[in-house]
Amino acid sequence: MGALDHLSDMFDCTGGHSRHHKKRKQLQTVEIKIKMDCEGCERRVRKSVEGMKGVTSIEVSPKQNKLTVIGYVDPQKVLARVAHRTGKKVEIWPYVPYDVVAHPYAPGVYDKKAPAGYVRNVDDPQMSNLARASSTEVRYTTAFSDENPAACVVM
């Protein structure tokens, strides 16, 4: 930075808002699904994000095919860098724990390739219809329920 730049910054009338200052990124956890077959793949995935600016920690789980990056990073930039450096197909981690989903075995939610204890995270309006039963459905299902003392005795 030259002397003129320093003087212009000292006598800046913009209230301290300079074009050189960038907004600080938030600390984020980026989870990525990437297929890893061997230790070489695991090493390549780890090295692809090791030198990236803003990365504070890296965790590689080859059994789950998962890469977790924690730091002051942009998720899309991490995704693009891993895809470019490894040459593999990558995507943001699409799974949530089994307990979080109301109907884990509904079509589109259950995924055979998901790690144990996880199902696919789906925000589909058709899936939400499975979670909410209408009052007529509740009335008919409770009429024949074993927990209902006033249920039908025909059974």
Side-chain angles (χ1 to χ4, degrees):
M1 185 170 177
L4 289 175
D5 290 330
H6 180 69
L7 286 174
S8 68
D9 285 343
M10 268 184 18
F11 298 108
D12 190 13
C13 295
T14 60
H17 301 292
S18 176
R19 60 187 160 102
H20 297 292
H21 295 290
K22 289 186 177 179
K23 218 177 188 184
R24 186 177 170 131
K25 294 181 180 155
Q26 296 287 327
L27 181 68
Q28 294 186 352
T29 302
V30 182
E31 295 178 327
I32 297 173
K33 178 184 173 187
I34 181 168
K35 187 168 173 145
M36 292 177 270
D37 300 323
C38 60
E39 290 179 10
C41 295
E42 180 184 348
R43 197 170 32 254
R44 187 185 308 157
V45 167
R46 181 180 297 280
K47 286 190 176 219
S48 70
V49 290
E50 261 180 358
M52 195 169 181
K53 185 178 176 184
V55 173
T56 56
S57 76
I58 302 164
E59 183 183 331
V60 180
S61 304
K63 285 187 177 181
Q64 291 185 329
N65 291 324
K66 181 179 181 181
L67 166 68
T68 305
V69 179
I70 300 173
Y72 300 96
V73 292
D74 179 26
Q76 295 305 319
K77 286 185 180 179
V78 174
L79 201 68
R81 182 170 174 141
V82 172
H84 176 70
R85 294 259 175 120
T86 61
K88 293 179 175 280
K89 181 182 173 232
V90 296
E91 63 178 308
I92 296 291
W93 187 252
Y95 304 117
V96 293
Y98 178 83
D99 306 344
V100 176
V101 180
H103 295 283
Y105 294 107
V109 176
Y110 182 72
D111 188 358
K112 291 179 187 176
K113 295 179 183 177
Y118 287 92
V119 291
R120 194 166 276 281
N121 186 15
V122 178
D123 292 329
D124 190 8
Q126 195 174 22
M127 295 297 146
S128 63
N129 289 340
L130 290 173
R132 281 182 263 140
S134 67
S135 61
T136 55
E137 290 175 31
V138 171
R139 198 169 355 122
Y140 286 124
T141 54
T142 56
F144 295 102
S145 174
D146 291 334
E147 286 86 29
N148 187 359
C152 182
V153 249
V154 175
M155 297 188 353

